[in-house]
mmCIF file of all heavy atoms in Angstrom:
data_model
loop_
_atom_site.group_PDB
_atom_site.id
_atom_site.type_symbol
_atom_site.label_atom_id
_atom_site.label_comp_id
_atom_site.label_asym_id
_atom_site.label_seq_id
_atom_site.Cartn_x
_atom_site.Cartn_y
_atom_site.Cartn_z
ATOM 1 N N LEU A 34 -8.355 -7.288 9.910
ATOM 2 C CA LEU A 34 -7.716 -6.171 9.209
ATOM 3 C C LEU A 34 -6.482 -6.626 8.447
ATOM 4 O O LEU A 34 -6.040 -5.941 7.524
ATOM 5 C CB LEU A 34 -7.321 -5.087 10.221
ATOM 6 C CG LEU A 34 -8.474 -4.380 10.927
ATOM 7 C CD1 LEU A 34 -7.921 -3.418 11.960
ATOM 8 C CD2 LEU A 34 -9.333 -3.636 9.914
ATOM 9 N N TYR A 35 -5.894 -7.756 8.844
ATOM 10 C CA TYR A 35 -4.682 -8.250 8.204
ATOM 11 C C TYR A 35 -4.986 -9.377 7.233
ATOM 12 O O TYR A 35 -4.106 -10.168 6.882
ATOM 13 C CB TYR A 35 -3.678 -8.732 9.269
ATOM 14 C CG TYR A 35 -3.373 -7.668 10.280
ATOM 15 C CD1 TYR A 35 -3.986 -7.677 11.517
ATOM 16 C CD2 TYR A 35 -2.490 -6.645 9.982
ATOM 17 C CE1 TYR A 35 -3.711 -6.686 12.444
ATOM 18 C CE2 TYR A 35 -2.218 -5.647 10.893
ATOM 19 C CZ TYR A 35 -2.828 -5.678 12.134
ATOM 20 O OH TYR A 35 -2.556 -4.700 13.036
ATOM 21 N N SER A 36 -6.246 -9.503 6.800
ATOM 22 C CA SER A 36 -6.646 -10.567 5.895
ATOM 23 C C SER A 36 -6.014 -10.358 4.535
ATOM 24 O O SER A 36 -5.895 -9.239 4.049
ATOM 25 C CB SER A 36 -8.167 -10.601 5.758
ATOM 26 O OG SER A 36 -8.558 -11.517 4.772
ATOM 27 N N SER A 37 -5.598 -11.467 3.913
ATOM 28 C CA SER A 37 -5.010 -11.408 2.563
ATOM 29 C C SER A 37 -5.870 -12.188 1.588
ATOM 30 O O SER A 37 -5.363 -12.775 0.627
ATOM 31 C CB SER A 37 -3.584 -11.979 2.588
ATOM 32 O OG SER A 37 -3.601 -13.309 3.058
ATOM 33 N N SER A 38 -7.168 -12.221 1.829
ATOM 34 C CA SER A 38 -8.067 -12.951 0.947
ATOM 35 C C SER A 38 -8.198 -12.226 -0.382
ATOM 36 O O SER A 38 -7.928 -11.033 -0.477
ATOM 37 C CB SER A 38 -9.448 -13.067 1.606
ATOM 38 O OG SER A 38 -9.994 -11.788 1.827
ATOM 39 N N PRO A 39 -8.607 -12.946 -1.450
ATOM 40 C CA PRO A 39 -8.720 -12.303 -2.764
ATOM 41 C C PRO A 39 -9.698 -11.143 -2.772
ATOM 42 O O PRO A 39 -9.598 -10.277 -3.617
ATOM 43 C CB PRO A 39 -9.200 -13.455 -3.673
ATOM 44 C CG PRO A 39 -8.783 -14.697 -2.967
ATOM 45 C CD PRO A 39 -8.875 -14.388 -1.494
ATOM 46 N N GLU A 40 -10.635 -11.102 -1.835
ATOM 47 C CA GLU A 40 -11.599 -10.011 -1.834
ATOM 48 C C GLU A 40 -10.943 -8.694 -1.428
ATOM 49 O O GLU A 40 -11.418 -7.628 -1.775
ATOM 50 C CB GLU A 40 -12.749 -10.344 -0.861
ATOM 51 C CG GLU A 40 -13.544 -11.567 -1.263
ATOM 52 C CD GLU A 40 -14.616 -11.875 -0.257
ATOM 53 O OE1 GLU A 40 -14.728 -11.118 0.729
ATOM 54 O OE2 GLU A 40 -15.340 -12.866 -0.458
ATOM 55 N N ASP A 41 -9.841 -8.770 -0.678
ATOM 56 C CA ASP A 41 -9.164 -7.550 -0.240
ATOM 57 C C ASP A 41 -7.656 -7.749 -0.396
ATOM 58 O O ASP A 41 -6.937 -7.930 0.574
ATOM 59 C CB ASP A 41 -9.503 -7.248 1.223
ATOM 60 C CG ASP A 41 -8.956 -5.896 1.663
ATOM 61 O OD1 ASP A 41 -8.616 -5.078 0.785
ATOM 62 O OD2 ASP A 41 -8.869 -5.684 2.877
ATOM 63 N N PRO A 42 -7.172 -7.785 -1.633
ATOM 64 C CA PRO A 42 -5.761 -8.100 -1.846
ATOM 65 C C PRO A 42 -4.858 -7.029 -1.259
ATOM 66 O O PRO A 42 -5.203 -5.851 -1.213
ATOM 67 C CB PRO A 42 -5.647 -8.156 -3.384
ATOM 68 C CG PRO A 42 -6.759 -7.284 -3.862
ATOM 69 C CD PRO A 42 -7.875 -7.448 -2.867
ATOM 70 N N ALA A 43 -3.693 -7.445 -0.772
ATOM 71 C CA ALA A 43 -2.721 -6.494 -0.236
ATOM 72 C C ALA A 43 -2.113 -5.672 -1.362
ATOM 73 O O ALA A 43 -1.932 -6.153 -2.478
ATOM 74 C CB ALA A 43 -1.624 -7.263 0.510
ATOM 75 N N LYS A 44 -1.790 -4.418 -1.030
ATOM 76 C CA LYS A 44 -1.205 -3.533 -2.036
ATOM 77 C C LYS A 44 0.218 -3.953 -2.334
ATOM 78 O O LYS A 44 0.940 -4.402 -1.444
ATOM 79 C CB LYS A 44 -1.219 -2.096 -1.529
ATOM 80 C CG LYS A 44 -2.605 -1.507 -1.393
ATOM 81 C CD LYS A 44 -2.515 -0.063 -0.963
ATOM 82 C CE LYS A 44 -3.898 0.572 -0.850
ATOM 83 N NZ LYS A 44 -3.832 1.977 -0.435
ATOM 84 N N PRO A 45 0.646 -3.835 -3.585
ATOM 85 C CA PRO A 45 2.045 -4.142 -3.909
ATOM 86 C C PRO A 45 2.993 -3.236 -3.143
ATOM 87 O O PRO A 45 2.638 -2.137 -2.727
ATOM 88 C CB PRO A 45 2.119 -3.888 -5.428
ATOM 89 C CG PRO A 45 0.703 -3.944 -5.888
ATOM 90 C CD PRO A 45 -0.145 -3.466 -4.747
ATOM 91 N N ALA A 46 4.225 -3.716 -2.946
ATOM 92 C CA ALA A 46 5.219 -2.932 -2.198
ATOM 93 C C ALA A 46 5.525 -1.609 -2.881
ATOM 94 O O ALA A 46 5.780 -0.600 -2.231
ATOM 95 C CB ALA A 46 6.507 -3.762 -2.029
ATOM 96 N N SER A 47 5.500 -1.616 -4.224
ATOM 97 C CA SER A 47 5.798 -0.375 -4.938
ATOM 98 C C SER A 47 4.769 0.698 -4.646
ATOM 99 O O SER A 47 5.102 1.880 -4.502
ATOM 100 C CB SER A 47 5.854 -0.645 -6.443
ATOM 101 O OG SER A 47 4.616 -1.192 -6.888
ATOM 102 N N GLU A 48 3.486 0.296 -4.541
ATOM 103 C CA GLU A 48 2.452 1.275 -4.237
ATOM 104 C C GLU A 48 2.587 1.792 -2.815
ATOM 105 O O GLU A 48 2.360 2.974 -2.557
ATOM 106 C CB GLU A 48 1.070 0.663 -4.448
ATOM 107 C CG GLU A 48 0.777 0.298 -5.880
ATOM 108 C CD GLU A 48 -0.626 -0.234 -6.053
ATOM 109 O OE1 GLU A 48 -1.417 -0.141 -5.083
ATOM 110 O OE2 GLU A 48 -0.937 -0.727 -7.142
ATOM 111 N N ILE A 49 2.994 0.941 -1.885
ATOM 112 C CA ILE A 49 3.160 1.388 -0.506
ATOM 113 C C ILE A 49 4.297 2.385 -0.401
ATOM 114 O O ILE A 49 4.216 3.388 0.278
ATOM 115 C CB ILE A 49 3.425 0.172 0.406
ATOM 116 C CG1 ILE A 49 2.207 -0.738 0.428
ATOM 117 C CG2 ILE A 49 3.770 0.621 1.814
ATOM 118 C CD1 ILE A 49 2.408 -2.008 1.222
ATOM 119 N N LYS A 50 5.394 2.140 -1.106
ATOM 120 C CA LYS A 50 6.511 3.074 -1.082
ATOM 121 C C LYS A 50 6.106 4.430 -1.651
ATOM 122 O O LYS A 50 6.518 5.472 -1.153
ATOM 123 C CB LYS A 50 7.682 2.495 -1.869
ATOM 124 C CG LYS A 50 8.320 1.286 -1.194
ATOM 125 C CD LYS A 50 9.487 0.768 -2.012
ATOM 126 C CE LYS A 50 10.126 -0.441 -1.344
ATOM 127 N NZ LYS A 50 11.250 -0.967 -2.138
ATOM 128 N N LYS A 51 5.320 4.425 -2.693
ATOM 129 C CA LYS A 51 4.922 5.694 -3.295
ATOM 130 C C LYS A 51 4.110 6.542 -2.314
ATOM 131 O O LYS A 51 4.188 7.749 -2.333
ATOM 132 C CB LYS A 51 4.123 5.434 -4.563
ATOM 133 C CG LYS A 51 4.967 4.877 -5.705
ATOM 134 C CD LYS A 51 4.109 4.645 -6.949
ATOM 135 C CE LYS A 51 4.958 4.088 -8.086
ATOM 136 N NZ LYS A 51 4.154 3.828 -9.293
ATOM 137 N N THR A 52 3.337 5.894 -1.464
ATOM 138 C CA THR A 52 2.528 6.662 -0.531
ATOM 139 C C THR A 52 3.375 7.322 0.553
ATOM 140 O O THR A 52 2.916 8.227 1.223
ATOM 141 C CB THR A 52 1.481 5.757 0.133
ATOM 142 O OG1 THR A 52 2.156 4.687 0.824
ATOM 143 C CG2 THR A 52 0.548 5.168 -0.904
ATOM 144 N N LEU A 53 4.656 6.856 0.726
ATOM 145 C CA LEU A 53 5.515 7.419 1.763
ATOM 146 C C LEU A 53 6.411 8.542 1.251
ATOM 147 O O LEU A 53 7.123 9.150 2.028
ATOM 148 C CB LEU A 53 6.387 6.315 2.360
ATOM 149 C CG LEU A 53 5.650 5.162 3.035
ATOM 150 C CD1 LEU A 53 6.640 4.107 3.508
ATOM 151 C CD2 LEU A 53 4.801 5.659 4.192
ATOM 152 N N VAL A 54 6.419 8.789 -0.031
ATOM 153 C CA VAL A 54 7.280 9.813 -0.617
ATOM 154 C C VAL A 54 6.676 11.188 -0.359
ATOM 155 O O VAL A 54 5.493 11.420 -0.618
ATOM 156 C CB VAL A 54 7.471 9.574 -2.123
ATOM 157 C CG1 VAL A 54 8.272 10.703 -2.743
ATOM 158 C CG2 VAL A 54 8.149 8.240 -2.347
ATOM 159 N N LEU A 55 7.519 12.096 0.175
ATOM 160 C CA LEU A 55 7.062 13.452 0.444
ATOM 161 C C LEU A 55 7.007 14.252 -0.845
ATOM 162 O O LEU A 55 7.758 13.982 -1.788
ATOM 163 C CB LEU A 55 8.007 14.140 1.428
ATOM 164 C CG LEU A 55 8.038 13.595 2.859
ATOM 165 C CD1 LEU A 55 9.136 14.302 3.646
ATOM 166 C CD2 LEU A 55 6.693 13.792 3.550
ATOM 167 N N PRO A 56 6.142 15.246 -0.913
ATOM 168 C CA PRO A 56 6.162 16.154 -2.056
ATOM 169 C C PRO A 56 7.517 16.849 -2.171
ATOM 170 O O PRO A 56 8.232 16.986 -1.166
ATOM 171 C CB PRO A 56 5.045 17.156 -1.724
ATOM 172 C CG PRO A 56 4.176 16.443 -0.750
ATOM 173 C CD PRO A 56 5.061 15.538 0.034
ATOM 174 N N PRO A 57 7.905 17.262 -3.342
ATOM 175 C CA PRO A 57 9.246 17.851 -3.511
ATOM 176 C C PRO A 57 9.517 19.029 -2.598
ATOM 177 O O PRO A 57 10.617 19.166 -2.061
ATOM 178 C CB PRO A 57 9.247 18.271 -4.996
ATOM 179 C CG PRO A 57 8.246 17.369 -5.644
ATOM 180 C CD PRO A 57 7.180 17.131 -4.621
ATOM 181 N N SER A 58 8.528 19.894 -2.390
ATOM 182 C CA SER A 58 8.757 21.064 -1.543
ATOM 183 C C SER A 58 9.037 20.652 -0.105
ATOM 184 O O SER A 58 9.956 21.171 0.541
ATOM 185 C CB SER A 58 7.534 21.984 -1.585
ATOM 186 O OG SER A 58 6.365 21.284 -1.161
#
């Protein structure tokens, strides 16, 4: 699950941060 092979590249840090942002409300 923690593989960093080219077939399953890790998501950039910016994309991970965006997934943690709550909706404005």
Side-chain angles (χ1 to χ4, degrees):
L34 294 176
Y35 305 100
S36 173
S37 58
S38 61
E40 297 178 1
D41 187 17
K44 292 183 179 180
S47 58
E48 295 183 10
I49 295 176
K50 291 181 180 179
K51 290 180 180 179
T52 59
L53 299 177
V54 176
L55 293 174
S58 58

